[in-house]
């Protein structure tokens, strides 16, 4: 049965508008069907046995049953197989949803009492709205300025908590143009129920036209580069590695050795921690003398600095040959959707050659 044909007549399910929607609905329907089947089976059997084995006379002594090996094996093995099937399928879906693709349009989302802010790779911002291109993989990197929120798009069947103090990631490929609900799905204070918005799925060309129509602010990486100077990070993190702090050039995605002998992968979470709590993981060979920037920068600004560090990091898929710092690099002509735009990138060009696989 195709769930969508059945569901259109009974508007009990939201539309299916992402790559995950159909399979999640199918999985959910299977769980409902299994639950319904066994509820009926057990209920009917209970009533049937109640009648069949009722006490027929005073003093009746029932026949003692010693056990039934085949029956016991059956009711052990069958539920085991069914529950393992549910587990494997559920785990596969979970793994897909929580493993974002490396090539995806990356949008930063910040939750805050009581609004959703989003920023596109080239700097376009929006509040309580999210415009995404049809058929392109979209990755949301999210954090919260205050309490836990949850970014819920029912039509995409994606719901991910947005947690202060860390980054969470959600991804999807929109499969149907239209406007869909966006909800906060975690109680976050008096106006939680008003923390809603809309997700607009547009054809790629419409999306690009929309991007051009939004007043373009600095891209996150550009704003991050400016913060890097204004907060004086640049005075210690010299690119020639002769400063008081390690060079950040070509750093993102690599592994660094720490003073305590451990190694850590340089990702968003590590960079964020190092900005707000520099002493937590001191790099080997450097003194623990960087001041904290806790309270001096907002979560959005932290994200901008991280985007800047990413933009001067090794290109995705390239194994660390030195690249020119983004500030000096001319923008490549065709900027794929999948790669964070370097600061000087012009308009979001149509993805050529780097067309992400559709899911
Ligand atoms: Cu934010 Cu509920």
């Amino acid at each position: 049965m195709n769930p969508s044909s059945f569901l259109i007549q009974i508007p009990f399910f939201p539309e299916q508008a992402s790559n995950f929607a159909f399979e999640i609905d199918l999985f959910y329907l299977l769980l409902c069907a299994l639950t319904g089947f066994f509820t009926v089976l057990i209920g009917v059997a209970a009533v049937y046995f109640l009648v069949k084995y009722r006490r027929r006379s005073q003093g009746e002594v029932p026949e003692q049953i010693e056990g039934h090996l085949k029956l016991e094996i059956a009711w052990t093995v069958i539920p085991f197989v069914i529950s393992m099937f549910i587990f494997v399928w559920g785990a596969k879906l979970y793994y897909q949803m929580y493993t974002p693709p490396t090539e995806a349009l990356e949008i930063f989302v910040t939750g805050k009492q009581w609004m959703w802010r989003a920023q596109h790779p080239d700097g376009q911002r929006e509040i309580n709205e999210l415009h995404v291109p049809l058929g392109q993989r979209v990755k949301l990197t999210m954090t919260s300025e205050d309490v836990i929120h949850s970014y819920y798009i029912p039509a995409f069947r994606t719901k991910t908590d947005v947690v202060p103090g860390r980054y969470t990631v959600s991804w999807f490929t929109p499969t149907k143009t239209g406007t869909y609900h966006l909800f906060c799905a975690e109680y976050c204070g008096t106006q939680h129920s008003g923390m809603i918005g809309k997700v607009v799925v547009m054809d790629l060309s419409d999306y690009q036209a929309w991007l051009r129509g939004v007043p373009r602010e600095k891209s996150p990486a550009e704003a991050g580069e400016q913060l890097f100077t204004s907060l004086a990070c640049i005075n210690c993190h010299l690119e020639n590695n002769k400063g008081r702090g390690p060079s950040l050039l070509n750093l993102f995605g690599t592994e660094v050795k720490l003073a305590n002998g451990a190694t850590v992968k340089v990702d968003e979470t590590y960079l964020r921690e190092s900005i707000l709590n520099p002493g937590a993981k001191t790099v080997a060979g450097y003194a623990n003398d960087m001041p904290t920037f806790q309270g001096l920068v907002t979560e959005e600004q932290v994200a901008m600095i991280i985007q800047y560090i990413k933009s001067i990091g090794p290109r995705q898929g390239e194994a660390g040959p030195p690249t020119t710092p983004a500030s000096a690099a001319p923008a490549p002509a065709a900027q794929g959707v999948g790669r964070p735009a370097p600061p000087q990138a012009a308009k979001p060009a149509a993805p050529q050659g780097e067309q992400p696989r559709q899911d």
Side-chain angles (χ1 to χ4, degrees), residues 149 184 186-188 192 195:
H149 305 275
C184 177
E186 181 74 49
Y187 180 69
C188 57
H192 157 70
M195 193 168 165

